[in-house]
Structures are given as structure tokens and as C-alpha cells.
Amino acid sequence: MATALRPIGHEDRLSLVDHLDELRTRLIISGVVLAIAFAVCLWQNHELLHIINKPLQAQTKKQVAKGQGTVGEAVLAQQGVLKVAGDTRAALALLAAPGSGLSATARAQLHPLITSLGADVQKIPRKPPGDNPVTLGVGEPFTTTLTVALYFAVLVSAPLILYELYGFVLPALNTRERRLAFPLLTAIPFLFAAGALFGYFVVLPAAVRFFVNFNSGEFNVLVQASQFYKFAATVLLAMGLVFQVPVAILGATRAGLVTPAQLRRNRRYALVACAAVAAFLPGDAITLVLETVPLYLLYEVSILVASLFGPSEAASTTGAAGTSGNQTPLASEAAEPSVQQLIDHTDRDLSG
């Protein structure tokens, strides 16, 4: 158990059985953490469902305000019924009032109708229908709730699971490789969380607005819960992966594949690439700009981080020049004996 809580040293020698035992222990710890996170998320499933439903509810409110789509038309009908009922009740109250011209018997008969109509109006729901996604199967509310709780549990437990993975791989790395891997692995959970938040507040609302309104006049649009949550999870996961760009660039620079100077020279290509990625995401022109700017800022942050934590460009250039300078004399020294040997050999042939 202790080996799963602290990394093994690079100099430690373990047998295959010890490595398998360590892997099993780390998997058990990761599974326990995931199970605890899942239990907590399942306990708070109402709050989690409310959070993930907010983008859909915001779009539903916009449709209701414009009277568009299935929900908007239903709300218009609901408001019409309430207005007709209110006008009818007011008209009956005027007729039942003294001095309306009706007989006392007729006015007495109107009072029960007014009371009954008021009770029926109170039963009409005021909340817009279709505010939440719909379920079609008998067990779909249960399975969908479990799925959403599992999504959030993975997100919450990801840092510790990554730590366990890092602790298992760490013994195979030397000191230099550990210095290279540690900042990368430390940044992964934070960048993933930032990407998921960006996807939730920017990308997901734009995607819901685009797909729900697309050709909505030809369809009765009802959003199914399981499909909506799967789509939302895909969007958040994709944005979390996109926000790993600084990690990938820092790893490439520290490995010597690219340099910060090369990244600076290719800024215009990076801007085009960020715009292309944002264009693949659903939304309008404003959303395209809102998605392109953070992606390009990530690229600039990657250059800054690579300049601070990557290998020194001057040192790399000096090392390369020094290596080239050292090779020239060695090559000359290696070439000189060969020429001298050739001359000696020619002299011996002539004297012979």
C-alpha cells in the first residue's frame, strides 16, 4: 500500500511480481476514489442535472419568448388559455354583480360557475412545458441519472487517477525525464478543467442554440435526455482535450522537436488553425470569434511557457555551433594521416 502512495525510486529494483502488485494496488486505489466520487455525485444528482440542463433551459426560455418551436407554441397556447379563462371569469363576475340586469336567480346560478372556473384556472401549470430534456423509456430516467453521475465522478477523480498513473510510470524515468514530465502531468488536470468550463459556458450554449433552432420549423423538436447528456459530455471532453495544446507544445519544445522562435514565426498559421477548429464547432459568427480568441491565447501562452521552462535557445545554438566546431578539427586531424600515409606509400613505390 505504501508504494501506491509514494513513487518508487529510479534506483529501486523490483521483480515482475512486485510491479504487478504495485499496479494492482494503484488500480484498486483509483477504483475506490472513483467509486467514492460516483457515490457523492449520485447523492447530489439533482444539482448535477440542474447544472447540465441550464444551457437547454436558457435556450428554451428564448424560444418561449419568441413563440418558436414546439415548446414556444405550447406556451403560446397555454398563455392563450389563461387569458381566455381570466376574461371569461371577469365577464361572469360582471354578470353576477347586482345591477347587471339579470334576475337574482340567474345571478345566483353564475356564482358556482365563477368558483369552478377559478379552481380550474389554478390547475393550469404556469411553468413552460419542455423546460427539461424528455425521456422515452421506462428506465431511462434512472440510467441517465447514473450516466451523468459517472461523467462528473470521472471529472472529479481524474487528478488522483493521473497521480497514480504518474507514480507507476515514474520509476522508469531518470532525473532529467522526471523534470520534463512533472510540469506536464501537473498542468493536465488544470487545463482539462479550464477547457471543460470553457466548453460549458461558451461552446455548449452555442451548440444547443444552433442544433435546436436548425430547421426547427420542419420538426417537432423534443430533446431526449440520454442523447443530450452524451452530446454535452462529448463537447466538454473535446474542449478539455483541445486545452491540452500548451502541454503538447511544451513537451515538443523540451524534447527538442520545435523551438519557441519557430512557434513565433508561425503565428499566422496558428491563428488560421485556431479559426479552423472553431469553425468545426457549431455556432454563429460571434461564437466563432469567442471560440477562436481563447484558442489562440492558448497558443501564445504555450510560447511563453516554452520560453520559460523549455531548453534555452541560446544554449541550443551554442551547443550546436560548438559541436560543429569540434567536429572540423577532428575531421582534419583524421584526414591528415590519411594523406601522409598516401604520400609515404607513393615514395616507397617509386624507390622500389
Side-chain angles (χ1 to χ4, degrees), residues 8-40:
I8 298 175
H10 181 67
E11 297 78 10
D12 297 340
R13 295 293 180 264
L14 300 179
S15 63
L16 177 61
V17 176
D18 294 332
H19 281 296
L20 293 177
D21 182 66
E22 182 197 4
L23 177 61
R24 182 191 63 180
T25 305
R26 293 187 183 277
L27 289 177
I28 291 175
I29 292 178
S30 301
V32 170
V33 171
L34 181 61
I36 294 175
F38 176 75
V40 174

Side-chain angles (χ1 to χ4, degrees), residues 79-267:
Q79 294 174 349
V81 171
L82 290 173
K83 188 175 186 307
V84 170
D87 294 342
T88 303
R89 187 180 182 187
L92 292 177
L94 291 175
L95 293 175
S100 62
L102 295 178
S103 62
T105 304
R107 285 189 284 106
Q109 292 176 350
L110 290 178
H111 286 292
L113 293 177
I114 296 174
T115 303
S116 176
L117 182 60
D120 293 337
V121 169
Q122 293 298 322
K123 296 178 182 178
I124 299 177
R126 267 62 176 178
K127 184 179 179 181
D131 198 28
N132 293 322
V134 299
T135 57
L136 304 179
V138 176
E140 189 173 350
F142 176 73
T143 57
T144 302
T145 301
L146 293 180
T147 302
V148 173
L150 181 60
Y151 289 155
F152 278 92
V154 172
L155 183 63
V156 170
S157 59
L160 195 139
I161 294 177
L162 290 174
Y163 171 79
E164 291 297 329
L165 177 62
Y166 170 70
F168 182 74
V169 177
L170 187 63
L173 306 178
N174 56 34
T175 304
R176 177 182 175 277
E177 292 170 340
R178 291 188 186 189
R179 287 198 300 266
L180 172 65
F182 181 75
L184 301 180
L185 295 175
T186 304
I188 286 176
F190 297 101
L191 289 174
F192 184 86
L197 291 175
F198 176 76
Y200 177 77
F201 287 106
V202 178
V203 180
L204 186 59
V208 172
R209 181 173 66 252
F210 175 79
F211 287 118
V212 170
N213 291 319
F214 182 79
N215 212 9
S216 59
E218 305 297 329
F219 302 95
N220 292 325
V221 180
L222 295 175
V223 181
Q224 188 177 356
S226 59
Q227 298 297 326
F228 172 69
Y229 295 139
K230 185 183 298 184
F231 172 75
T234 302
V235 170
L236 299 184
L237 177 61
M239 295 311 303
L241 295 178
V242 168
F243 269 59
Q244 303 301 317
V245 170
V247 175
I249 292 180
L250 180 59
T253 53
R254 299 197 69 173
L257 300 178
V258 294
T259 63
Q262 292 174 334
L263 296 175
R264 295 188 190 98
R265 287 196 300 267
N266 295 317
R267 277 192 172 105

Side-chain angles (χ1 to χ4, degrees), residues 67-87:
Q68 297 176 346
T70 304
V71 177
E73 294 175 356
V75 170
L76 288 179
Q78 182 185 71
Q79 294 174 349
V81 171
L82 290 173
K83 188 175 186 307
V84 170
D87 294 342

